[in-house]
Amino acid sequence: MNTVKLNEIHVRDPFVLQDDGVYYLYGTRGATCWGPATGFDVYTSRDLETWSDPVVCFEAPSGFWADRNFWAPEVHHYQGGYYMFASFKAEGLHRGTAVLYSEKPEGPFVPWSEGPVTPEAWECLDGTFFVDADGMPYMVFCHEWVQAGDGEVLAMPLSPDLKRAAGEPVLLFRASEAPWARPVHHSSGVTGYVTDGPFLWRTQAGRLLCLWASFSEGGYTEGVAVSDNDRLNGRFVQAEPLFHRDGGHGMVFRTVDGQLMLTLHQPNHTPDERPVFIPLAEQDGMLVRTGEQNT
């Protein structure tokens, strides 16, 4: 099998699943990010340095509802299966996050939900999966700034089989609540505040954190919001960003030997974006960087 180094992998929105000693890296294909797209790939590794060549883990079947902007695949192991949450769009349809399913982390994944699970009339993206302390499964996602103006992060309960919404979305926070966030300007003439890539992490101290991305004076930035009651129904308070050097859409995973790691893409402009890994530690219930990125 041919191999590649991390700095040779052209993806945005990296997501790493560690399963039985193997690391699975998913992401938005860099080459087709902004236009027509057909699927997602997975890369595998045992050391986070040398990776397999990409293997197609999802290929849109004939008649699939979307044909462009295949974004931000995440894979979560839940009740014996592997569920991919990913965002898609088509002409005349709002962008939304759908759920795919596979029996194996390497795929192949097949459509699981009937189209997007996010609200049909909203422009939504970057749905992530979280099970709250009460055992209820949720999708946490972004109401996109191009429609909302001030981008939002919301939580929505899911049915036990993860195929559909089981309640209305509840607002967690808006992008402008972060003191570091700066407005951006869209080619359509819209000006607003971006929310991208929410990811929930519960620290060993029990704190509930929501990582998310927006823009600051340093470019693309990885922010953190903290629930004041350590539940999804708490008030999320903005903390200092984890990374503010034109990198974001991150998530946290634990290595085989227990090391916490942040992965995000940097820089944020095509075609140069690459996944990077940054060591983390938990300190006073928060995540702190303990090293520089490894590319």
Side-chain angles (χ1 to χ4, degrees), residues 129-154:
F129 181 60
F130 181 71
V131 179
D132 206 355
D134 59 5
M136 172 70 76
Y138 285 85
M139 180 186 289
V140 176
F141 67 95
C142 296
H143 187 188
E144 200 171 6
W145 71 281
V146 293
Q147 184 183 54
D150 193 353
E152 300 173 338
V153 173
L154 305 103

PDB file of all heavy atoms in Angstrom, residues 129-154:
ATOM      1  N   PHE A 129     -22.023  15.220  16.541  1.00  0.00           N
ATOM      2  CA  PHE A 129     -22.825  14.311  17.363  1.00  0.00           C
ATOM      3  C   PHE A 129     -22.388  14.409  18.810  1.00  0.00           C
ATOM      4  O   PHE A 129     -21.195  14.491  19.114  1.00  0.00           O
ATOM      5  CB  PHE A 129     -22.651  12.882  16.852  1.00  0.00           C
ATOM      6  CG  PHE A 129     -23.443  11.851  17.613  1.00  0.00           C
ATOM      7  CD1 PHE A 129     -24.826  11.924  17.680  1.00  0.00           C
ATOM      8  CD2 PHE A 129     -22.808  10.806  18.260  1.00  0.00           C
ATOM      9  CE1 PHE A 129     -25.555  10.973  18.373  1.00  0.00           C
ATOM     10  CE2 PHE A 129     -23.521   9.844  18.948  1.00  0.00           C
ATOM     11  CZ  PHE A 129     -24.902   9.932  19.009  1.00  0.00           C
ATOM     12  N   PHE A 130     -23.385  14.397  19.727  1.00  0.00           N
ATOM     13  CA  PHE A 130     -23.083  14.455  21.149  1.00  0.00           C
ATOM     14  C   PHE A 130     -24.195  13.764  21.919  1.00  0.00           C
ATOM     15  O   PHE A 130     -25.375  13.935  21.604  1.00  0.00           O
ATOM     16  CB  PHE A 130     -22.961  15.908  21.617  1.00  0.00           C
ATOM     17  CG  PHE A 130     -22.623  16.046  23.072  1.00  0.00           C
ATOM     18  CD1 PHE A 130     -21.363  15.714  23.545  1.00  0.00           C
ATOM     19  CD2 PHE A 130     -23.567  16.504  23.969  1.00  0.00           C
ATOM     20  CE1 PHE A 130     -21.043  15.831  24.890  1.00  0.00           C
ATOM     21  CE2 PHE A 130     -23.260  16.631  25.321  1.00  0.00           C
ATOM     22  CZ  PHE A 130     -21.995  16.292  25.784  1.00  0.00           C
ATOM     23  N   VAL A 131     -23.798  12.983  22.925  1.00  0.00           N
ATOM     24  CA  VAL A 131     -24.762  12.377  23.838  1.00  0.00           C
ATOM     25  C   VAL A 131     -24.628  13.093  25.180  1.00  0.00           C
ATOM     26  O   VAL A 131     -23.560  13.063  25.804  1.00  0.00           O
ATOM     27  CB  VAL A 131     -24.513  10.861  24.005  1.00  0.00           C
ATOM     28  CG1 VAL A 131     -25.524  10.268  24.976  1.00  0.00           C
ATOM     29  CG2 VAL A 131     -24.593  10.157  22.651  1.00  0.00           C
ATOM     30  N   ASP A 132     -25.686  13.746  25.627  1.00  0.00           N
ATOM     31  CA  ASP A 132     -25.637  14.516  26.868  1.00  0.00           C
ATOM     32  C   ASP A 132     -25.704  13.572  28.065  1.00  0.00           C
ATOM     33  O   ASP A 132     -25.913  12.360  27.923  1.00  0.00           O
ATOM     34  CB  ASP A 132     -26.786  15.531  26.904  1.00  0.00           C
ATOM     35  CG  ASP A 132     -26.452  16.746  27.779  1.00  0.00           C
ATOM     36  OD1 ASP A 132     -25.387  16.751  28.409  1.00  0.00           O
ATOM     37  OD2 ASP A 132     -27.272  17.682  27.811  1.00  0.00           O
ATOM     38  N   ALA A 133     -25.558  14.136  29.253  1.00  0.00           N
ATOM     39  CA  ALA A 133     -25.495  13.344  30.479  1.00  0.00           C
ATOM     40  C   ALA A 133     -26.767  12.531  30.721  1.00  0.00           C
ATOM     41  O   ALA A 133     -26.736  11.526  31.432  1.00  0.00           O
ATOM     42  CB  ALA A 133     -25.213  14.250  31.666  1.00  0.00           C
ATOM     43  N   ASP A 134     -27.884  12.966  30.122  1.00  0.00           N
ATOM     44  CA  ASP A 134     -29.137  12.228  30.293  1.00  0.00           C
ATOM     45  C   ASP A 134     -29.284  11.075  29.299  1.00  0.00           C
ATOM     46  O   ASP A 134     -30.306  10.385  29.289  1.00  0.00           O
ATOM     47  CB  ASP A 134     -30.331  13.177  30.178  1.00  0.00           C
ATOM     48  CG  ASP A 134     -30.396  13.899  28.838  1.00  0.00           C
ATOM     49  OD1 ASP A 134     -29.570  13.607  27.946  1.00  0.00           O
ATOM     50  OD2 ASP A 134     -31.267  14.771  28.684  1.00  0.00           O
ATOM     51  N   GLY A 135     -28.261  10.864  28.456  1.00  0.00           N
ATOM     52  CA  GLY A 135     -28.297   9.782  27.472  1.00  0.00           C
ATOM     53  C   GLY A 135     -28.982  10.139  26.168  1.00  0.00           C
ATOM     54  O   GLY A 135     -29.046   9.309  25.261  1.00  0.00           O
ATOM     55  N   MET A 136     -29.487  11.372  26.041  1.00  0.00           N
ATOM     56  CA  MET A 136     -30.169  11.797  24.822  1.00  0.00           C
ATOM     57  C   MET A 136     -29.151  12.144  23.735  1.00  0.00           C
ATOM     58  O   MET A 136     -28.221  12.911  23.971  1.00  0.00           O
ATOM     59  CB  MET A 136     -31.036  13.022  25.103  1.00  0.00           C
ATOM     60  CG  MET A 136     -31.645  13.686  23.875  1.00  0.00           C
ATOM     61  SD  MET A 136     -32.939  12.703  23.067  1.00  0.00           S
ATOM     62  CE  MET A 136     -34.294  12.977  24.226  1.00  0.00           C
ATOM     63  N   PRO A 137     -29.302  11.567  22.519  1.00  0.00           N
ATOM     64  CA  PRO A 137     -28.408  11.944  21.418  1.00  0.00           C
ATOM     65  C   PRO A 137     -28.825  13.284  20.812  1.00  0.00           C
ATOM     66  O   PRO A 137     -30.029  13.575  20.673  1.00  0.00           O
ATOM     67  CB  PRO A 137     -28.594  10.806  20.420  1.00  0.00           C
ATOM     68  CG  PRO A 137     -29.977  10.300  20.662  1.00  0.00           C
ATOM     69  CD  PRO A 137     -30.233  10.489  22.136  1.00  0.00           C
ATOM     70  N   TYR A 138     -27.837  14.084  20.459  1.00  0.00           N
ATOM     71  CA  TYR A 138     -28.071  15.411  19.882  1.00  0.00           C
ATOM     72  C   TYR A 138     -27.212  15.611  18.641  1.00  0.00           C
ATOM     73  O   TYR A 138     -26.122  15.040  18.522  1.00  0.00           O
ATOM     74  CB  TYR A 138     -27.693  16.513  20.871  1.00  0.00           C
ATOM     75  CG  TYR A 138     -28.672  16.718  22.003  1.00  0.00           C
ATOM     76  CD1 TYR A 138     -28.596  15.939  23.149  1.00  0.00           C
ATOM     77  CD2 TYR A 138     -29.662  17.698  21.929  1.00  0.00           C
ATOM     78  CE1 TYR A 138     -29.483  16.135  24.198  1.00  0.00           C
ATOM     79  CE2 TYR A 138     -30.550  17.905  22.975  1.00  0.00           C
ATOM     80  CZ  TYR A 138     -30.456  17.115  24.103  1.00  0.00           C
ATOM     81  OH  TYR A 138     -31.336  17.315  25.128  1.00  0.00           O
ATOM     82  N   MET A 139     -27.707  16.443  17.746  1.00  0.00           N
ATOM     83  CA  MET A 139     -26.870  17.052  16.734  1.00  0.00           C
ATOM     84  C   MET A 139     -26.658  18.506  17.137  1.00  0.00           C
ATOM     85  O   MET A 139     -27.627  19.230  17.396  1.00  0.00           O
ATOM     86  CB  MET A 139     -27.503  16.995  15.342  1.00  0.00           C
ATOM     87  CG  MET A 139     -26.619  17.653  14.265  1.00  0.00           C
ATOM     88  SD  MET A 139     -27.418  17.761  12.634  1.00  0.00           S
ATOM     89  CE  MET A 139     -27.420  16.037  12.154  1.00  0.00           C
ATOM     90  N   VAL A 140     -25.411  18.921  17.218  1.00  0.00           N
ATOM     91  CA  VAL A 140     -25.068  20.327  17.427  1.00  0.00           C
ATOM     92  C   VAL A 140     -24.555  20.846  16.089  1.00  0.00           C
ATOM     93  O   VAL A 140     -23.683  20.219  15.471  1.00  0.00           O
ATOM     94  CB  VAL A 140     -24.023  20.478  18.543  1.00  0.00           C
ATOM     95  CG1 VAL A 140     -23.584  21.929  18.687  1.00  0.00           C
ATOM     96  CG2 VAL A 140     -24.586  19.964  19.872  1.00  0.00           C
ATOM     97  N   PHE A 141     -25.104  21.949  15.616  1.00  0.00           N
ATOM     98  CA  PHE A 141     -24.810  22.407  14.260  1.00  0.00           C
ATOM     99  C   PHE A 141     -24.822  23.922  14.189  1.00  0.00           C
ATOM    100  O   PHE A 141     -25.180  24.611  15.156  1.00  0.00           O
ATOM    101  CB  PHE A 141     -25.838  21.825  13.274  1.00  0.00           C
ATOM    102  CG  PHE A 141     -27.240  22.344  13.466  1.00  0.00           C
ATOM    103  CD1 PHE A 141     -27.709  23.418  12.723  1.00  0.00           C
ATOM    104  CD2 PHE A 141     -28.086  21.774  14.400  1.00  0.00           C
ATOM    105  CE1 PHE A 141     -29.004  23.909  12.896  1.00  0.00           C
ATOM    106  CE2 PHE A 141     -29.383  22.251  14.587  1.00  0.00           C
ATOM    107  CZ  PHE A 141     -29.837  23.318  13.840  1.00  0.00           C
ATOM    108  N   CYS A 142     -24.441  24.447  13.024  1.00  0.00           N
ATOM    109  CA  CYS A 142     -24.414  25.891  12.797  1.00  0.00           C
ATOM    110  C   CYS A 142     -25.551  26.318  11.872  1.00  0.00           C
ATOM    111  O   CYS A 142     -25.766  25.698  10.828  1.00  0.00           O
ATOM    112  CB  CYS A 142     -23.099  26.310  12.152  1.00  0.00           C
ATOM    113  SG  CYS A 142     -21.651  26.035  13.184  1.00  0.00           S
ATOM    114  N   HIS A 143     -26.265  27.374  12.274  1.00  0.00           N
ATOM    115  CA  HIS A 143     -27.148  28.111  11.369  1.00  0.00           C
ATOM    116  C   HIS A 143     -26.248  29.126  10.682  1.00  0.00           C
ATOM    117  O   HIS A 143     -25.712  30.027  11.324  1.00  0.00           O
ATOM    118  CB  HIS A 143     -28.273  28.785  12.147  1.00  0.00           C
ATOM    119  CG  HIS A 143     -29.300  29.427  11.278  1.00  0.00           C
ATOM    120  ND1 HIS A 143     -30.299  30.228  11.782  1.00  0.00           N
ATOM    121  CD2 HIS A 143     -29.512  29.392   9.931  1.00  0.00           C
ATOM    122  CE1 HIS A 143     -31.067  30.663  10.805  1.00  0.00           C
ATOM    123  NE2 HIS A 143     -30.604  30.168   9.675  1.00  0.00           N
ATOM    124  N   GLU A 144     -26.071  28.955   9.376  1.00  0.00           N
ATOM    125  CA  GLU A 144     -24.998  29.639   8.662  1.00  0.00           C
ATOM    126  C   GLU A 144     -25.193  31.156   8.628  1.00  0.00           C
ATOM    127  O   GLU A 144     -26.296  31.663   8.413  1.00  0.00           O
ATOM    128  CB  GLU A 144     -24.884  29.084   7.242  1.00  0.00           C
ATOM    129  CG  GLU A 144     -23.554  29.358   6.601  1.00  0.00           C
ATOM    130  CD  GLU A 144     -23.394  28.599   5.293  1.00  0.00           C
ATOM    131  OE1 GLU A 144     -24.340  27.957   4.835  1.00  0.00           O
ATOM    132  OE2 GLU A 144     -22.288  28.667   4.729  1.00  0.00           O
ATOM    133  N   TRP A 145     -24.094  31.850   8.766  1.00  0.00           N
ATOM    134  CA  TRP A 145     -24.110  33.311   8.846  1.00  0.00           C
ATOM    135  C   TRP A 145     -24.640  33.977   7.587  1.00  0.00           C
ATOM    136  O   TRP A 145     -25.189  35.080   7.659  1.00  0.00           O
ATOM    137  CB  TRP A 145     -22.702  33.822   9.151  1.00  0.00           C
ATOM    138  CG  TRP A 145     -21.745  33.684   8.002  1.00  0.00           C
ATOM    139  CD1 TRP A 145     -21.096  32.557   7.603  1.00  0.00           C
ATOM    140  CD2 TRP A 145     -21.346  34.712   7.098  1.00  0.00           C
ATOM    141  NE1 TRP A 145     -20.313  32.805   6.512  1.00  0.00           N
ATOM    142  CE2 TRP A 145     -20.437  34.126   6.175  1.00  0.00           C
ATOM    143  CE3 TRP A 145     -21.649  36.057   6.963  1.00  0.00           C
ATOM    144  CZ2 TRP A 145     -19.845  34.848   5.150  1.00  0.00           C
ATOM    145  CZ3 TRP A 145     -21.056  36.784   5.939  1.00  0.00           C
ATOM    146  CH2 TRP A 145     -20.171  36.182   5.045  1.00  0.00           C
ATOM    147  N   VAL A 146     -24.491  33.313   6.416  1.00  0.00           N
ATOM    148  CA  VAL A 146     -24.970  33.933   5.177  1.00  0.00           C
ATOM    149  C   VAL A 146     -26.491  34.105   5.193  1.00  0.00           C
ATOM    150  O   VAL A 146     -27.034  34.934   4.462  1.00  0.00           O
ATOM    151  CB  VAL A 146     -24.550  33.124   3.939  1.00  0.00           C
ATOM    152  CG1 VAL A 146     -23.043  33.177   3.749  1.00  0.00           C
ATOM    153  CG2 VAL A 146     -25.013  31.680   4.033  1.00  0.00           C
ATOM    154  N   GLN A 147     -27.176  33.339   6.041  1.00  0.00           N
ATOM    155  CA  GLN A 147     -28.624  33.484   6.211  1.00  0.00           C
ATOM    156  C   GLN A 147     -28.955  34.140   7.546  1.00  0.00           C
ATOM    157  O   GLN A 147     -29.812  35.026   7.612  1.00  0.00           O
ATOM    158  CB  GLN A 147     -29.312  32.125   6.127  1.00  0.00           C
ATOM    159  CG  GLN A 147     -30.847  32.203   6.206  1.00  0.00           C
ATOM    160  CD  GLN A 147     -31.480  30.820   6.201  1.00  0.00           C
ATOM    161  OE1 GLN A 147     -31.145  29.975   7.017  1.00  0.00           O
ATOM    162  NE2 GLN A 147     -32.406  30.597   5.265  1.00  0.00           N
ATOM    163  N   ALA A 148     -28.272  33.721   8.609  1.00  0.00           N
ATOM    164  CA  ALA A 148     -28.597  34.209   9.953  1.00  0.00           C
ATOM    165  C   ALA A 148     -27.997  35.577  10.234  1.00  0.00           C
ATOM    166  O   ALA A 148     -28.477  36.282  11.136  1.00  0.00           O
ATOM    167  CB  ALA A 148     -28.115  33.203  11.000  1.00  0.00           C
ATOM    168  N   GLY A 149     -26.957  35.971   9.495  1.00  0.00           N
ATOM    169  CA  GLY A 149     -26.290  37.238   9.772  1.00  0.00           C
ATOM    170  C   GLY A 149     -25.252  37.077  10.869  1.00  0.00           C
ATOM    171  O   GLY A 149     -24.057  37.185  10.624  1.00  0.00           O
ATOM    172  N   ASP A 150     -25.724  36.811  12.060  1.00  0.00           N
ATOM    173  CA  ASP A 150     -24.859  36.501  13.192  1.00  0.00           C
ATOM    174  C   ASP A 150     -24.929  34.990  13.377  1.00  0.00           C
ATOM    175  O   ASP A 150     -25.911  34.456  13.887  1.00  0.00           O
ATOM    176  CB  ASP A 150     -25.359  37.227  14.449  1.00  0.00           C
ATOM    177  CG  ASP A 150     -24.359  37.230  15.584  1.00  0.00           C
ATOM    178  OD1 ASP A 150     -23.319  36.555  15.465  1.00  0.00           O
ATOM    179  OD2 ASP A 150     -24.621  37.909  16.597  1.00  0.00           O
ATOM    180  N   GLY A 151     -23.897  34.277  12.882  1.00  0.00           N
ATOM    181  CA  GLY A 151     -23.925  32.817  12.879  1.00  0.00           C
ATOM    182  C   GLY A 151     -24.267  32.240  14.244  1.00  0.00           C
ATOM    183  O   GLY A 151     -23.845  32.764  15.282  1.00  0.00           O
ATOM    184  N   GLU A 152     -25.017  31.149  14.233  1.00  0.00           N
ATOM    185  CA  GLU A 152     -25.494  30.541  15.474  1.00  0.00           C
ATOM    186  C   GLU A 152     -24.985  29.107  15.610  1.00  0.00           C
ATOM    187  O   GLU A 152     -24.795  28.412  14.614  1.00  0.00           O
ATOM    188  CB  GLU A 152     -27.030  30.522  15.490  1.00  0.00           C
ATOM    189  CG  GLU A 152     -27.662  31.901  15.410  1.00  0.00           C
ATOM    190  CD  GLU A 152     -29.180  31.846  15.256  1.00  0.00           C
ATOM    191  OE1 GLU A 152     -29.687  30.798  14.803  1.00  0.00           O
ATOM    192  OE2 GLU A 152     -29.838  32.851  15.573  1.00  0.00           O
ATOM    193  N   VAL A 153     -24.823  28.668  16.858  1.00  0.00           N
ATOM    194  CA  VAL A 153     -24.592  27.263  17.175  1.00  0.00           C
ATOM    195  C   VAL A 153     -25.794  26.786  17.986  1.00  0.00           C
ATOM    196  O   VAL A 153     -26.163  27.414  18.979  1.00  0.00           O
ATOM    197  CB  VAL A 153     -23.283  27.053  17.962  1.00  0.00           C
ATOM    198  CG1 VAL A 153     -23.153  25.607  18.423  1.00  0.00           C
ATOM    199  CG2 VAL A 153     -22.088  27.448  17.102  1.00  0.00           C
ATOM    200  N   LEU A 154     -26.406  25.692  17.528  1.00  0.00           N
ATOM    201  CA  LEU A 154     -27.636  25.193  18.136  1.00  0.00           C
ATOM    202  C   LEU A 154     -27.518  23.706  18.432  1.00  0.00           C
ATOM    203  O   LEU A 154     -26.720  22.997  17.820  1.00  0.00           O
ATOM    204  CB  LEU A 154     -28.844  25.434  17.216  1.00  0.00           C
ATOM    205  CG  LEU A 154     -29.071  26.872  16.767  1.00  0.00           C
ATOM    206  CD1 LEU A 154     -28.601  27.049  15.331  1.00  0.00           C
ATOM    207  CD2 LEU A 154     -30.532  27.277  16.910  1.00  0.00           C
TER     208      LEU A 154
END
